[in-house]
Amino acid sequence: TSSYICVLSGSHLISALAVRFPHWRILTVDNLQYCSSLKNLRSVEASSKYTFIPGDVCDPFLIKRLFATEKIDIVFHCAAETHVENSFLCPSRFMRVNADGTGVLIRAAFEARVRRFIYISTDEVYGDSLEQPFDELSPKRPTNPYSASKAAAENIVMSYWMKHKFPVLITRSSNVYGPHQHHEKVIPRFLSLIQRDQKCTIQGSGLQSRHFLYVSDVTDAFLTLMEKGILGEIYNIGSSFEIPIIQLARELVKMKVKDVSEEALVDWMEFVEDRPVTELRYPMISDKLHKLGWRPKVTWKEGIRRTIQWYEENPNYWPSISENGEESPASCDQTPSHAMPYHVR
């Protein structure tokens, strides 16, 4: 029987694994911060093959004991602090969780002779590009503490491949969206604001654009790489769908507000202070992954329809932004996040 450890932010992946491989054991480690919820795992919580372990990836005693007592074959390392604005306020926390935590986890996995270690990274390690898309050989040029900590974690992971030929894989994906996502992310944030007849808060000019991938396409990519990925390689998980943030806000308002006119759309937007460093685009080439047979299957039209429907059917899934200003801590001292309009990688 194979075992998995899915660490943080992996609820859709866990559900997909449980469906695809019903005889495999799934272990999840999560410290249940503000953007985590055990409700995301209702589909598997009753399964005898699934175990949830509350804990911190940075805790070497917990992680070492876990690998010593469980026969873990494959690791999906999704644990991360991901909010870019917060990373400027508390870079040490991001380096601790994203880099130091990765060091703790991969050392324990290496000592336990795990068969495959899949590290979930980000397109942000490339920095931005207005024209030339990034492939996996493009240099890393992180521009904020979050992406710098993810780049450092990649280096730690790759060092185990270079020195020990420990079986690692690294993924770098575009922005992910879909059901269950916490409303610190841009799509659920905008939907939540529109639902309460409030304006979408848009950072800077709103002309920065992002590529979006529906969550099931990303989990399919992870499973493809688990089965077919070449060890020691990095794989982009990119999307051809790109949209400026201001256009995203316009589209969501038109989908949610009945008979809104083009002229009235501007009344649904509020432009706020930009983040310290803004990347306009993260274009990527995913040819390596395409050669393994993966392609995105869910169109933007269908994915956003499913997403909107889920949030309409689950309006109180996450604490209300207005009722609880501290559900998304913005700094090391847990300052409320009212000043943080949203996070889009």
Side-chain angles (χ1 to χ4, degrees), residues 67 72-75 102-119 156-170 230-233:
F67 279 88
I72 295 171
D73 298 301
I74 300 176
V75 175
T102 297
V104 168
L105 189 62
I106 196 168
R107 180 176 179 179
F110 169 71
E111 291 176 349
R113 299 184 179 181
V114 164
R115 289 196 299 112
R116 191 156 294 203
F117 186 100
I118 301 169
Y119 178 64
I156 293 169
V157 171
M158 197 55 68
S159 72
Y160 275 78
W161 168 255
M162 298 298 291
K163 185 173 182 179
H164 304 291
K165 287 297 180 278
F166 182 59
V168 305
L169 289 160
I170 293 175
I230 299 172
L231 299 179
E233 292 290 323

Side-chain angles (χ1 to χ4, degrees), residues 9-83:
S9 304
S11 60
H12 286 273
L13 174 60
I14 293 164
S15 298
L17 286 166
V19 170
R20 185 86 63 93
F21 307 104
H23 301 299
W24 289 2
R25 295 187 58 226
I26 302 172
L27 309 175
T28 307
V29 177
D30 197 321
N31 63 356
L32 294 177
Q33 288 199 25
Y34 68 93
C35 56
S36 302
S37 174
L38 287 176
K39 291 186 291 186
N40 291 346
L41 296 167
R42 283 174 177 164
S43 66
V44 296
E45 64 184 4
S47 171
S48 61
K49 297 293 185 181
Y50 170 74
T51 304
F52 175 79
I53 300 169
D56 191 336
V57 70
C58 298
D59 182 346
F61 301 104
L62 169 71
I63 297 301
K64 188 168 185 177
R65 184 168 68 250
L66 176 66
F67 279 88
T69 56
E70 301 285 350
K71 175 64 175 72
I72 295 171
D73 298 301
I74 300 176
V75 175
F76 284 98
H77 178 21
C78 315
E81 292 274 1
T82 65
H83 200 295

Side-chain angles (χ1 to χ4, degrees), residues 107-137:
R107 180 176 179 179
F110 169 71
E111 291 176 349
R113 299 184 179 181
V114 164
R115 289 196 299 112
R116 191 156 294 203
F117 186 100
I118 301 169
Y119 178 64
I120 313 303
S121 190
T122 169
D123 56 0
E124 278 216 46
V125 298
Y126 292 122
D128 71 347
S129 174
L130 293 179
E131 296 181 8
Q132 187 67 31
F134 301 113
D135 63 22
E136 291 83 355
L137 295 177

Side-chain angles (χ1 to χ4, degrees), residues 60-299:
F61 301 104
L62 169 71
I63 297 301
K64 188 168 185 177
R65 184 168 68 250
L66 176 66
F67 279 88
T69 56
E70 301 285 350
K71 175 64 175 72
I72 295 171
D73 298 301
I74 300 176
V75 175
F76 284 98
H77 178 21
C78 315
E81 292 274 1
T82 65
H83 200 295
V84 172
E85 286 80 7
N86 291 357
S87 77
F88 283 102
L89 294 166
C90 193
S92 61
R93 184 174 72 201
F94 280 68
M95 193 60 71
R96 174 182 172 271
V97 173
N98 297 350
D100 296 349
T102 297
V104 168
L105 189 62
I106 196 168
R107 180 176 179 179
F110 169 71
E111 291 176 349
R113 299 184 179 181
V114 164
R115 289 196 299 112
R116 191 156 294 203
F117 186 100
I118 301 169
Y119 178 64
I120 313 303
S121 190
T122 169
D123 56 0
E124 278 216 46
V125 298
Y126 292 122
D128 71 347
S129 174
L130 293 179
E131 296 181 8
Q132 187 67 31
F134 301 113
D135 63 22
E136 291 83 355
L137 295 177
S138 299
K140 290 186 284 191
R141 298 178 302 168
T143 58
N144 56 65
Y146 159 65
S147 55
S149 68
K150 295 292 283 186
E154 285 192 12
N155 291 344
I156 293 169
V157 171
M158 197 55 68
S159 72
Y160 275 78
W161 168 255
M162 298 298 291
K163 185 173 182 179
H164 304 291
K165 287 297 180 278
F166 182 59
V168 305
L169 289 160
I170 293 175
T171 75
R172 297 170 179 161
S173 77
S174 299
N175 277 64
V176 181
Y177 74 100
H180 303 160
Q181 196 171 39
H182 187 270
H183 49 53
E184 74 173 12
K185 307 301 183 184
V186 62
I187 290 177
R189 181 77 174 193
F190 283 175
L191 291 175
S192 178
L193 290 168
I194 296 166
Q195 186 75 30
R196 301 197 312 278
D197 294 324
Q198 296 180 14
K199 296 183 178 184
C200 298
T201 48
I202 299 173
Q203 295 172 327
S205 67
L207 297 178
Q208 62 272 31
S209 65
R210 295 294 181 264
H211 295 74
F212 285 96
L213 266 172
Y214 191 67
V215 63
S216 63
D217 284 329
V218 177
T219 57
D220 284 348
F222 293 158
L223 298 184
T224 297
L225 290 172
M226 177 193 73
E227 296 183 298
K228 302 179 182 178
I230 299 172
L231 299 179
E233 292 290 323
I234 298 169
Y235 289 89
N236 289 342
I237 308 175
S239 167
S240 60
F241 178 79
E242 181 178 11
I243 186 170
I245 298 303
I246 191 170
Q247 182 62 27
L248 173 65
R250 292 168 62 90
E251 286 198 15
L252 294 179
V253 171
K254 286 192 284 187
M255 292 175 188
K256 291 284 291 179
V257 181
K258 189 175 181 180
D259 299 325
V260 65
S261 66
E262 289 290 329
E263 294 76 17
L265 286 174
V266 68
D267 296 329
W268 285 89
M269 300 179 200
E270 178 184 358
F271 291 88
V272 299
E273 184 179 357
D274 208 347
R275 65 169 65 162
V277 180
T278 297
E279 296 81 7
L280 292 178
R281 302 178 68 233
Y282 300 114
M284 289 196 303
I285 295 172
S286 305
D287 291 353
K288 279 177 67 173
L289 186 53
H290 293 169
K291 290 176 181 176
L292 300 182
W294 176 86
R295 287 285 200 291
K297 298 174 183 175
V298 181
T299 65

